């Protein structure tokens, strides 16, 4: 036995009863509204919306902690300067400024800096990191939103470069 509500007085009654026990309304009036069913079309639309939302969230994750990727394409000049940037980055690495440049677990890019990097004044640090940022942005054909600086020996965060601004801890 299922319970339905009377259309007149909203009293619960048996679906087997001929009339409402409270107000006497006949069952035909007291019949419950038919259950709404999901059509195949509705299911497909909802499923498609879920896929689009998940895809958008995935892109936000890839772009750095929920920030949307910056629309950008490297210029011909940027591309032409890549070999010179690469040589300079290698030279700075050879001078001991950093031990490694690459992706890290929580943010787009990390630069593991060494003792000679700390000896630079803030402008030279910013210029060095901006060189690395520009090189990798051009290589990936998108602006890297954030670069984290980590101490090569301890692994702790020592600075961050985002929106072309260097902040040292």
């Amino acid at each position: 036995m299922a319970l339905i509500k009377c259309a007149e007085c909203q009293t619960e009654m048996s679906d087997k009863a001929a009339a409402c026990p409270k107000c006497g309304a006949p069952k035909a009036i007291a019949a419950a509204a038919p259950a709404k069913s999901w059509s195949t079309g509705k299911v497909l639309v909802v499923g498609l919306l879920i896929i689009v939302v998940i895809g958008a969230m995935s892109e936000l994750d890839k772009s750095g902690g929920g920030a949307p990727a910056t629309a950008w394409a490297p210029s011909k000049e940027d591309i032409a300067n890549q070999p010179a940037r690469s040589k300079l980055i290698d030279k700075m690495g050879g001078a001991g400024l950093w031990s490694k440049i690459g992706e890290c677990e929580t943010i787009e890019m990390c630069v593991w800096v060494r003792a000679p990097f700390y000896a630079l004044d803030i402008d030279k640090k910013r210029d060095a990191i901006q060189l690395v940022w520009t090189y990798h942005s051009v290589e990936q054909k998108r602006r890297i939103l954030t670069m984290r600086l980590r101490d090569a020996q301890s692994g702790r965060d020592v600075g961050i470069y985002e929106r072309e601004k260097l902040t040292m801890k």
Side-chain angles (χ1 to χ4, degrees):
M1 167 180 98
L3 293 177
I4 60 172
K5 288 191 177 194
C6 171
E8 292 292 317
C9 68
Q10 301 301 310
T11 299
E12 286 189 347
M13 59 184 262
S14 168
D15 63 342
K16 306 256 188 250
C20 173
K22 182 175 179 187
C23 70
K27 181 178 176 185
I29 295 174
K36 293 182 181 179
S37 65
W38 283 67
S39 67
T40 304
K42 285 181 183 176
V43 170
L44 288 175
V45 169
V46 170
L48 185 60
L49 282 172
I50 290 170
I51 291 169
V52 168
V53 169
I54 289 171
M57 290 171 63
S58 173
E59 284 303 310
L60 288 176
D61 267 355
K62 289 179 187 173
S63 69
T70 304
W72 176 78
S75 69
K76 288 180 182 178
E77 182 181 356
D78 282 332
I79 294 167
N81 288 330
Q82 281 299 85
R85 280 190 201 99
S86 179
K87 284 181 185 175
L88 196 50
I89 288 168
D90 288 345
K91 186 176 178 180
M92 290 174 162
L97 293 183
W98 42 72
S99 63
K100 178 177 152 186
I101 299 169
E103 293 181 13
C104 47
E105 69 284 345
T106 59
I107 207 157
E108 289 188 84
M109 295 293 293
C110 279
V111 179
W112 284 265
V113 297
R114 302 173 101 178
F117 180 83
Y118 296 114
L120 299 174
D121 67 47
I122 190 70
D123 291 331
K124 286 190 168 100
K125 287 176 184 169
R126 186 195 61 244
D127 291 346
I129 296 303
Q130 187 167 11
L131 174 73
V132 173
W133 175 83
T134 303
Y135 176 82
H136 285 281
S137 290
V138 171
E139 283 297 299
Q140 295 180 19
K141 295 179 176 60
R142 65 181 181 86
R143 283 198 190 273
I144 294 171
L145 299 177
T146 307
M147 290 186 81
R148 182 152 294 168
L149 281 66
R150 289 196 169 153
D151 184 82
Q153 190 170 358
S154 71
R156 69 180 175 85
D157 289 344
V158 293
I160 194 160
Y161 182 82
E162 60 187 345
R163 294 181 178 83
E164 301 184 25
K165 180 182 175 190
L166 176 65
T167 306
M168 297 297 294
K169 292 182 179 181

